[in-house]
Amino acid sequence: MSSPIVKLVAQRVALGILLLLAVSVLIFAGTQILPGDVAQAILGQSATPESLANLREQLGLNQPAYLRYFHWLGGVLTGDLGTAMSSGQDIATSIKDRLWNTLFLAFWAAIVAVPLAIILGLIAVRYRNGWVDKLISGVALASTSFPEFFIGYLLVFYFAVQHQWFPAISTVYEGMSFGERMQAIALPAAALTLVVLAHMMRMTRAAILNVMQSAYVETAELKGLSAFAVIRKHAFPNAIAPIINVVMLNLAYLVVGVVVVEVIFVYPGMGQYLVDHVTKRDVPVVQAVGLIFAAVYISLNIIADIAAIVANPRLRHPK
Amino acid sequence: MSNELDYLSRRVAAGKLSRRDFLGRAAALGITAPFANSLLSSAARAAGPVKGGTLKAGLVGGESTNSLDPALMMTQVPFAFGKCWGEMIVELSPEGKLENRIAEEIGSSDDAKVWTLKIRDGVEFHNGKTVTAEDVAATLERHSDEKSKSGALGYMKGIESIKASGKEVVLTLKEANADLPYLLSDYHLIVQPNGGKDKPDAGIGAGPYKIVTNEPGVRHVGERFANYWQGDKMGHADQIEVVVINDATARTAALQGGQVNMINRVEPKIVDLIKRVPGVTIRNHAGPGHYVFIMHCNTAPFDNNDLRMALKLAIDREEMLNKVLRGYGSLGNDFPINASYPLFTEIEQRKYDPDKAKFHYKKSGHDGSVLLRTSDVAFPGAVDAAQLYQQSAAKAGIKLEIKREPGDGYWNEVWNKQPFCASYWGGRSTQDQMYSTAYLSTADWNDTRFKRPDFDKMVLAARAELDEAKRKAMYHDMAVMVRDEGGLILPMFNQFIDATGAKVGGWVDDPHQELMNGYALAKCWLEA
């Protein structure tokens, strides 16, 4: 039974790598068509023709694009992301801490959001169409429909300005204790949780309800199992594939989609780093961050695929 | 009598009068020494700085691309943090006087062409090295090098030679410049060991705080430098911290929530709301910064002075000041100078006059619409301002077509390229600097394309003039010329609006830049 799985996994991973390569070409091409150039952006309003020419030459902006692409790809493969044009810092070093911060925030948001979403989804199914179901769906949908910045500002207003239970800004730095760190990220993690909750909850609910129509669920009901036992034993395992899919999608979002939340809470993660460098036309950084984001997306999708295959025997043994 | 003593004791507390002199004055007024002493200590308690604590600022204007190299400092955070860890050659006091720092004395030849800086003894860098004349000379050399990327290069280019000998640095200028000491107060000119030639971003300075954490775009922390040469005047908090908060709402929330003690750039539209928050003080004050609409004097249809005059008369400055800045600013008069410059003279205020505008518009022979480009980044409220302008101009029969440009690339693609657009200027410390940067025919940033040989001559003559009264008259004439013939429409000067939380002591309004000219963290203290 292991060999088809290994084969499938190998296939998916190979496909993922190919996809990543294609993405790298797209990213590189995309950054080439941004208006203006990095020298112009660094110097901003104070650019003079001489200083522009000096900076361009120093940054190697005079080489043709394809040469720069291969040079860049070679560097990435050997773990060298290059140096930021605008500040001259090593990108890999600066990204390391930032990526860690983003993952830390995403991790805690996920720890809260994923189980909560699934449990709420299960409860909604159990009491489907009743007031509990409607309340859960209503609140979750409302929190998703608000833009992230609005939720963020509401949380700040209530918990930081009015009551001062949590800090309004979430700067984290080395040497902070775990407790301090958790307190600092409480509000952004809550905002992220509210943002991704509804999607996962609704999907869980829909997937399980879908399964609930099947004959075997009816059989289970007829043999007198309690409503929760039916859902837990018979419906949930069969609905797991779409649930995993939506969970992975949201996990990816927690990493790559947090730009707004990070800016509002002044959280030193990848999102802020990317925003800063896009405005500076700092191409190497934009490329590196883009590639990392793509890698996160692709690998989480691979994991979702594989998990779905493992969970569903019918996918494991195709006819 | 007691008034005078009160005043004098406060002078002592502020460090402007020596204790000994005070006791002498007191004795002369018939006060016994013990009583005089007790007067003095109560004044010191009331006005004196408190040592200790961590002073935090939440500031807009920091990016992860920031560098500690003073030459590359561009935005507010490096500027404010630079004033904490760096020491300048000379600085402008809040009253606009020159204050000697690393230079103990500055003298010039009679023709203002050769300048001698005498370097102060016993100023120490954070690495323990003493500041020498060579370090100062090397700093100036680095910033005046043609290949330099320094933001100060524009002014420094006028230096022909820099020589250090003994305790002196001698600067020879290409052309006479009576304002040279003012130029040396430029915030890029932080004195570094060997001028920063070896490692420009090492962050070693001679300022009141040494850098302990430098995370660009996130936060910067400084720790009091024990050997700072002026420890009684600056460096009161044990530690200072700059947290980068670019989002305006987050910034105010951080001040309200008590995570930071001061913030910069409070938006005019929320100032009145913030004022109601207990413990928060709004620190707004006038400065040389101005919001403008600029026309290229050499591009049709703006090459016609009647059209330019029509557009200048068709703007309702008062309405704009009230609606865009909510009154946190002052009226502009179409020349880039206001009372924050030392040699400013008043000129009759230009007013909104649709009839006169109509007259000049007709006379210009232009008909059809005029295209004005604007963007959110041109200045805060620039899009609204353009719309107000459109309405007031319509009443004068002038059709303004507004084009909203993306903020991204505005400074590269629109400003200084398109013939009519919105923009802002931060101002400079002297009129010569302002005119040389943007109104000389040869200036790189002549964004109004104001190219007038007669005006250039006036700038050069005023620069070399050492008689203050004559200079003032010259600047008056120059201002009139720019106002009546130039391509600048200057509806308003903006104010700097900072805010401090409870317990911040020692704040002094400084007209030159926001946050007490960047010194707020270095000069303020946390009240016990």
Side-chain angles (χ1 to χ4, degrees), chain A residues 261-305:
Chain A
V261 171
E262 282 186 2
V263 170
I264 288 172
F265 288 98
V266 200
Y267 187 76
M270 298 284 280
Q272 268 209 334
Y273 187 69
L274 178 63
V275 168
D276 282 358
H277 287 83
V278 167
T279 48
K280 285 278 179 199
R281 302 279 177 277
D282 201 327
V283 176
V285 176
V286 175
Q287 288 166 341
V289 176
L291 205 59
I292 289 173
F293 280 0
V296 168
Y297 239 99
I298 291 172
S299 39
L300 282 173
N301 270 304
I302 293 175
I303 293 173
D305 279 0

Side-chain angles (χ1 to χ4, degrees), chain A residues 40 45-48 50 54-55 58 86-87 98 153 156 164 167-168 171 173 264 266 268 276-277 280-281, chain B residues 63-65 74 147 149 157 216 218-219 243-245 247 249-250 253 256-257 259 408 412 415 424 444-445:
Chain A
Q40 183 66 267
Q45 203 199 8
S46 54
T48 63
E50 309 100 83
N54 292 341
L55 198 57
Q58 193 192 333
S86 44
S87 61
R98 298 241 175 198
Y153 286 154
V156 167
Q164 313 204 348
T171 356
Y173 44 89
I264 288 172
V266 200
D276 282 358
H277 287 83
K280 285 278 179 199
R281 302 279 177 277
Chain B
E63 291 151 331
S64 38
T65 50
M74 217 60 86
K147 285 204 180 107
K149 285 172 279 169
K157 273 195 286 200
V218 183
R219 57 180 216 132
V243 186
V244 180
I245 312 181
D247 184 78
T249 315
Q256 286 174 279
Q259 272 94 52
D408 226 22
N412 314 336
W415 174 77
Y424 82 90
D444 289 324
W445 297 345

